[in-house]
Amino acid sequence: MELWLTILEQGLIFGIMTLGVYITYKILDFPDLTVDGSFPLGAAVAASLLQSGINPFIATILSFGAGALAGGVTGILHTKLKITNLLSSILVMIGLYSINLRVMGKANIPLFQEKTIFTNDLMPIYIIAFITIFMKICLDLFLKTKLGFLLKATGDNPKLITSLGIDIGTIKIMALMLANGLVALSGAIMAQHQRFADVGMGTGVIVMGLAAIILGETVLKNIPFIYATTMAIIGSILYKASTAFALKLGFPATDLKLITAIIVVIALALRYKDIKLPWRFKELLGGGSSATNTESI
Amino acid sequence: MLQIQNLYKTFQRNTINEKTIFSNFKVDINKGDFITVIGSNGAGKSTLLNLISGAIQADEGNIILNKKDLIQLPEHKRSKIISRVFQDPSFGTSPSMTILENLSMAVNKGKKFNLSMGVYKENIPRFKEVLSQLSLGLENMIDTKVGMLSGGQRQALSLVMATISNPDLLLLDEHTAALDPKTSERIVELTEKIVLDKNITTLMVTHNLHQAINQGNRLLMLHQGEIILDIKGEEKKSLTIEKLLSYFDKIQDNQFISDRLLFS
Ligand SMILES: Nc1ncnc2c1ncn2[C@@H]1O[C@H](COP(=O)(O)OP(=O)(O)OP(=O)(O)O)[C@@H](O)[C@H]1O
Ligand SMILES: [Mg+2]
């Protein structure tokens, strides 16, 4: 029971990060490694603000802003300086490593005495579930607005955005800000949940996000009218459960990243098989890309 | 209405592949003109449309639409008043979104894309009305993802999306070339209907001489970045394939003569 609760808690916290990765990877079609830096950035900002006694909810919200800023820089490098999307995000990820150390002043900050969003009578799972579901609903609603439509169309057909009279660079920057804001928020909550922030806690976050998205899609894609955001969050919980299962099997914790990478490789290899089908046939089968599912229920 | 003056464009300047395609190009287009543009491969037709739309920046010159010079504006700003339909049916729509969602974006062109709802139910009757004019049955499938439509259906939708916001100028670059002959004919009919109904100034590039003759009120033939034939008014109305072909022959003779002169 204890274990399941931890899986659920961590899965939901990572679920917020997965929503961010979903925006860049699935909707925007942008391989955004910034998240490996913005996840610990969120943790670092929250931890150092908590240390100075700031209200934990405000600290958590500010960490969202810090992540958004990081995403914005990636967006500007890509759209204004015309650096490729992958390289822009790698540059920011590397830069963030130093910035995170600066923010924290050292490699990790323990949060034992500090007040956190969990310092109250509510069980952590309720607080986490509330935040995650709230963010998911906000994102779902956003994707139904005019601006949200532009975001979906940007990944789908950039030419269309230009012909609608919109600067595609602006949309990309906005999407990257939103995505990395979510990732940093997730990092901030994770730090408070595990009671420490560590400069290395971002390594491989992007791959975990991908693993969660792909797992969610693979397991849930045949459920009619399911939101892609729901799949992402459930995928995140499934991912946490499968790593916990791997640990139970006796793999050392240090193998987890390798296991994650292998999960992603297998899932992607299976999907590639899928893609070889004539696309129309695939659509008939109810497959299609996950961005396709954003407007269902 | 649209004046292009002293337009210059050289590709890959200062390399061995340097290619000047337009040099002191000019043309004057009246409001409501429906112009067909023909010319051999490499004549500069697509480049001309790209220069007007801003997809390619000109080296020099003026492109004045409704008394406003567009030459400094980036493509997306020009797009607020200029619409395009491309040869590739997938360029004009968002395949993972529904017909309704695509039209909802298109009708909002030139306005703000903010946090208000993407789809307004009140618009649906109007969309269905417009779609029913296509006679493709699209009005009964507005919740279908555009990726499921055939090339012809998509191109018809692209055309509707390009025109629903009443642009000042419509640029069509071989927009029926990827379709089978029957569908191609159907889309050209639709184009004419929409363009004339809405009185949209239009440039339509085509390799189909029948279309070039039968559609529109003016015909331009481009050759090596120059207008070598400009037929309008009564002459355009009485134009036949034979006459057009004889023009072609004359040009080729001229070229032959000038080549001979050059090499003699
Ligand atoms: N980006 C570019 N770089 C270099 N040369 C170019 C570029 N775009 C076009 N050109 C050249 O400019 C000339 C005109 O090309 P354009 O595409 O406008 O021809 P077109 O009339 O549309 O021909 P088609 O009927 O084949 O579509 C061609 O010689 C082409 O090689
Ligand atoms: Mg062309």
Side-chain angles (χ1 to χ4, degrees), chain A residues 22-44:
Chain A
Y22 167 74
I23 292 173
T24 43
Y25 176 74
K26 293 299 290 193
I27 303 185
L28 199 59
D29 198 14
F30 191 114
D32 181 29
L33 298 193
T34 317
V35 297
D36 272 25
S38 52
F39 186 80
L41 174 68

Side-chain angles (χ1 to χ4, degrees), chain B:
Chain B
M1 189 260 181
L2 173 69
Q3 285 114 20
I4 299 177
Q5 301 161 343
N6 317 318
L7 191 70
Y8 286 81
K9 180 67 197 177
T10 299
F11 286 114
Q12 322 208 5
R13 193 181 282 280
N14 299 327
T15 69
I16 45 166
N17 294 322
E18 178 169 304
K19 164 139 184 110
T20 299
I21 178 74
F22 290 112
S23 147
N24 199 14
F25 180 91
K26 46 176 86 89
V27 68
D28 232 322
I29 291 166
N30 294 324
K31 174 141 186 59
D33 270 356
F34 180 2
I35 299 177
T36 54
V37 182
I38 56 174
S40 50
N41 296 113
K45 305 177 299 292
S46 298
T47 308
L48 178 63
L49 298 204
N50 283 332
L51 287 166
I52 297 173
S53 74
I56 301 178
Q57 290 294 328
D59 298 332
E60 229 183 286
N62 305 95
I63 296 172
I64 299 163
L65 182 58
N66 290 334
K67 305 203 173 75
K68 199 174 155 212
D69 195 349
L70 305 179
I71 204 79
Q72 300 292 346
L73 290 183
E75 185 181 9
H76 72 269
K77 292 218 171 117
R78 298 189 201 183
S79 295
K80 291 186 195 229
I81 49 170
I82 300 178
S83 283
R84 302 190 72 174
V85 181
F86 299 89
Q87 181 173 346
D88 187 335
S90 66
F91 283 179
T93 52
S94 175
S96 78
M97 299 171 78
T98 64
I99 294 179
L100 176 59
E101 291 170 332
N102 270 281
L103 282 171
S104 300
M105 286 193 285
V107 81
N108 202 52
K109 171 168 161 148
K111 302 192 198 119
K112 284 231 159 10
F113 281 83
N114 51 22
L115 293 180
S116 58
M117 287 310 283
V119 171
Y120 276 104
K121 294 247 171 355
E122 302 83 82
N123 279 335
I124 294 179
R126 175 179 163 205
F127 291 162
K128 287 195 169 174
E129 159 82 36
V130 177
L131 289 173
S132 67
Q133 287 168 11
L134 303 176
S135 321
L136 292 170
L138 293 182
E139 65 277 15
N140 301 320
M141 40 200 297
I142 56 169
D143 291 318
T144 304
K145 304 231 161 77
V146 171
M148 311 272 287
L149 303 181
S150 72
Q153 288 173 322
R154 273 205 230 188
Q155 205 61 329
L157 180 63
S158 302
L159 194 62
V160 168
M161 286 175 62
T163 51
I164 199 165
S165 58
N166 298 318
D168 293 345
L169 182 64
L170 178 64
L171 305 175
L172 308 167
D173 193 353
E174 300 186 44
H175 70 307
T176 67
L179 309 172
D180 67 69
K182 226 181 141 90
T183 317
S184 165
E185 207 170 296
R186 179 95 191 89
I187 298 288
V188 167
E189 279 167 23
L190 289 172
T191 306
E192 181 170 44
K193 182 171 176 337
I194 293 175
V195 163
L196 295 183
D197 277 359
K198 298 192 155 223
N199 193 29
I200 301 173
T201 313
T202 301
L203 281 170
M204 178 172 101
V205 172
T206 177
H207 278 295
N208 182 322
L209 294 186
H210 282 282
Q211 290 176 3
I213 289 169
N214 296 330
Q215 316 300 318
N217 61 343
R218 185 172 172 189
L219 180 147
L220 296 178
M221 190 195 285
L222 245 59
H223 186 68
Q224 296 179 350
E226 281 180 56
I227 296 177
I228 52 165
L229 198 60
D230 183 353
I231 301 174
K232 45 192 159 186
E234 287 307 315
E235 200 189 351
K236 169 73 171 64
K237 278 184 202 148
S238 62
L239 189 63
T240 59
I241 288 264
E242 289 73 33
K243 271 197 213 167
L244 197 57
L245 286 175
S246 73
Y247 280 120
F248 259 121
D249 288 342
K250 256 193 237 158
I251 291 150
Q252 270 161 9
D253 282 349
N254 281 344
Q255 224 182 337
F256 183 62
I257 292 163
S258 60
D259 284 352
R260 252 215 328 229
L261 285 176
L262 214 65
F263 292 114
S264 62

